[in-house]
Amino acid sequence: MVGVTTTTNHIMRLSKLTSSNSSNCLSKSYRCFSAALSSSSSSSTVLPKMTSATTVPDKMLLTPTLYANDTNKNGSKRMAHTAIGDNNRVYTAGSGIGTDSSMIAANDRHNLHILFAKPKANFTTSTSSSPAATSKAGEGGMDDEYGEMTSDGSTYYHPEPYTLENGQILENAQVRYMTYGTLNEERDNVIVVCHALTGNASLHSWWGDLLGPNQAFDTSRYFIVCANILGSCYGSTSPSSPKPSSEKEIYGMDFPDISIQDTVRMQLLLLRDELQVQSIKCVIGGSFGGMQAVEYAAQAGSVDSEFAVNDKHDQAKPFVRTVLPIACGASHTAWQIAISEVQRQAIYADPKWNNGNPSPDDPPLAGLSVARQIGMVSYRTSMGYEKKFGRKVRNAATDDDAPPPSYGSQAPWEVKSYLIYQGTKFLSRFDPVTYIKLTEQMDTHDVGRNRGGKEKALRNVHIPALVLGIDSDVLYPLHEQKELVSLFPNAELKVIHSEAGHDGFLLEQDQVASYITGFLEAHD
């Protein structure tokens, strides 16, 4: 394995480079994990090859223009959302890319790739970016659904205390978002893309093959908006945010209980009030993102909605014209809540959970790692694991050059290595408290709550809906998408064929793109 040995002083320097944005869960977890590494018995650690966040070359940056007589509520001029970039990757002026402090910090941010050559060995990593080295790390065992994750983007600041569904008040509520493409004169060529549980507003990081001119998210035709979930650590108000009464004390477990209804309403206010969107062509999302799409339909998909708009003939029209939820149902079931809960229990079982009072400087990362491993099993399938790993063990040499054991506690199963790798890699971009709070938010999904039940909630939502299900999804089985189609008055079901299970919505991008493109073409 090719590697470079680096002293713990360098590890701590890396942690400082990632700490400029205190709301970024990646930087916070990296600092904690770096401290853990530096306190290990070894005085040196092998770090991965450094990779920086995608930046826009200076020659592509355009001077932002201003809309005439277009102002924010605070009186400041609103920046026009003009496409910038080449034909392969399009961002927008006004998205905050290249100017936001988190973007500057992202140039020094690194992915942490941890290997476990054998139990209780010191941490080692590969500096090679070759497929072979990646495969040895375990990551190559199964396709990875996410690219580099940062908190880049612009920020919507809610102008007043935000009242949540449960009556609690969230002070200084803000949501990070990114835009791609150009908003047309009618301000109605808008596509909203909602991210999943641990995603972010950087659509290009996880659905990048669908984004760009002549792609499903066609930036030459549409204005694409991707907003972070309220409560996520990628730039939005979250457990890592400071309490209003203190500049130093963060919310932690005192962070209010956020529902999906709260998240979607905040995003709708961003779209209507901040971006001054007149109408949304389509809302699209998978998994947690699909739940948001369903909630968009309930909140803004009928003429009875507070977000309804008048067309040029002064006729009331839904603010959201179509929705495309993927790999989700109308509510989170006992099965899904149970899987969320067992992940939370893994974190609670970590001694550093400290009876619900974890230290931000020494969080229960071991528990978070196990929680992520549980998730990685539920996101895939038995056939997928068998095809990729079977009963294979890694060819890790032992101290006496004897072959590795083929079973027992010391057996270096490839699937074990993969799960440990995924759990450890996750620590570089997420924190335990945020993970708990976001899984709890996902469990709030119930489109029928306080609306008279699921049937009544969607009965008057007559906008076209395309529901996508995955034939191998064991986490959100296909029968749930069939039920969702039956609840929408004007919906159809299409099935993604995949061995990848739930993660098929991210990994089967050709199928997903084809369905999205066809649906967008078929409906205004």
Side-chain angles (χ1 to χ4, degrees), residues 11 14-15 18-19 21-37 109-110 112 233-234 240 359-365 368-369 423-435:
I11 299 172
L14 289 179
S15 70
T18 63
S19 63
N21 184 351
S22 61
S23 67
N24 186 342
C25 51
L26 185 146
S27 63
K28 191 169 189 67
S29 292
Y30 199 103
R31 292 199 306 276
C32 295
F33 195 59
S34 296
L37 287 177
R109 194 173 292 132
H110 315 287
L112 186 61
C233 50
Y234 286 115
S240 297
S359 168
D361 298 319
D362 191 19
L365 296 181
L368 178 60
S369 175
T424 307
K425 186 179 73 167
F426 191 60
L427 304 182
S428 68
R429 71 177 189 88
F430 232 79
D431 73 89
V433 174
T434 299
Y435 194 78

Side-chain angles (χ1 to χ4, degrees), residues 84-318:
I84 61 178
D86 58 17
N87 288 329
N88 296 319
R89 178 75 72 221
V90 179
Y91 303 104
T92 63
S95 69
I97 298 181
T99 59
D100 188 273
S101 61
S102 66
M103 181 61 183
I104 297 170
N107 291 327
D108 293 314
R109 194 173 292 132
H110 315 287
N111 286 330
L112 186 61
H113 296 264
I114 301 297
L115 305 181
F116 289 84
K118 57 184 179 180
K120 299 181 181 180
N122 291 328
F123 292 116
T124 59
T125 61
S126 169
T127 62
S128 170
S129 59
S130 69
T134 302
S135 179
K136 288 180 180 179
E139 186 177 25
M142 284 186 163
D143 294 333
D144 205 353
E145 65 272 26
Y146 287 111
E148 184 167 5
M149 303 295 289
T150 71
S151 58
D152 304 331
S154 294
T155 304
Y156 167 62
Y157 299 92
H158 190 59
E160 56 192 14
Y162 187 57
T163 303
L164 303 174
E165 181 188 354
N166 61 11
Q168 291 181 281
I169 303 297
L170 183 62
E171 302 283 351
N172 306 322
Q174 65 184 59
V175 168
R176 192 63 52 88
Y177 68 96
M178 291 188 71
T179 64
Y180 309 79
T182 304
L183 186 60
N184 63 7
E185 274 189 35
E186 293 79 13
R187 309 178 85 87
D188 64 358
N189 65 328
V190 179
I191 294 176
V192 175
V193 182
C194 304
H195 70 74
L197 175 64
T198 66
N200 63 359
S202 299
L203 176 60
H204 58 275
S205 293
W206 42 273
W207 253 354
D209 288 349
L210 276 63
L211 179 66
N214 303 315
Q215 302 302 315
F217 302 135
D218 189 343
T219 49
S220 67
R221 299 176 60 188
Y222 305 126
F223 180 61
I224 296 99
V225 181
C226 185
N228 193 216
I229 294 170
L230 184 60
S232 170
C233 50
Y234 286 115
S236 300
T237 309
S238 74
S240 297
S241 301
K243 290 183 176 180
S245 57
S246 172
E247 294 183 358
K248 295 183 179 180
E249 185 182 4
I250 64 172
Y251 277 107
M253 283 301 292
D254 292 333
F255 190 70
D257 294 326
I258 307 291
S259 71
I260 292 182
Q261 291 188 25
D262 295 326
T263 282
V264 169
R265 179 171 173 76
M266 176 68 80
Q267 293 178 7
L268 282 164
L269 294 172
L270 153 69
L271 291 155
R272 185 188 68 183
D273 300 341
E274 176 79 1
L275 300 179
Q276 296 189 359
V277 167
Q278 175 63 24
S279 175
I280 299 170
K281 178 178 175 65
C282 190
V283 180
I284 302 169
S287 191
F288 199 161
M291 301 173 209
Q292 292 170 69
V294 173
E295 187 60 35
Y296 264 94
Q299 289 194 35
S302 71
V303 295
D304 301 324
S305 162
E306 65 171 294
F307 292 95
V309 295
N310 290 339
D311 64 13
K312 60 184 178 181
H313 304 295
D314 205 30
Q315 297 293 313
K317 297 293 183 181

Side-chain angles (χ1 to χ4, degrees), residues 14 65 69 158 196 233 371 381 411 440 493 502:
L14 289 179
T65 57
N69 301 319
H158 190 59
C233 50
T381 65
E440 289 176 342
L493 173 69
H502 183 62

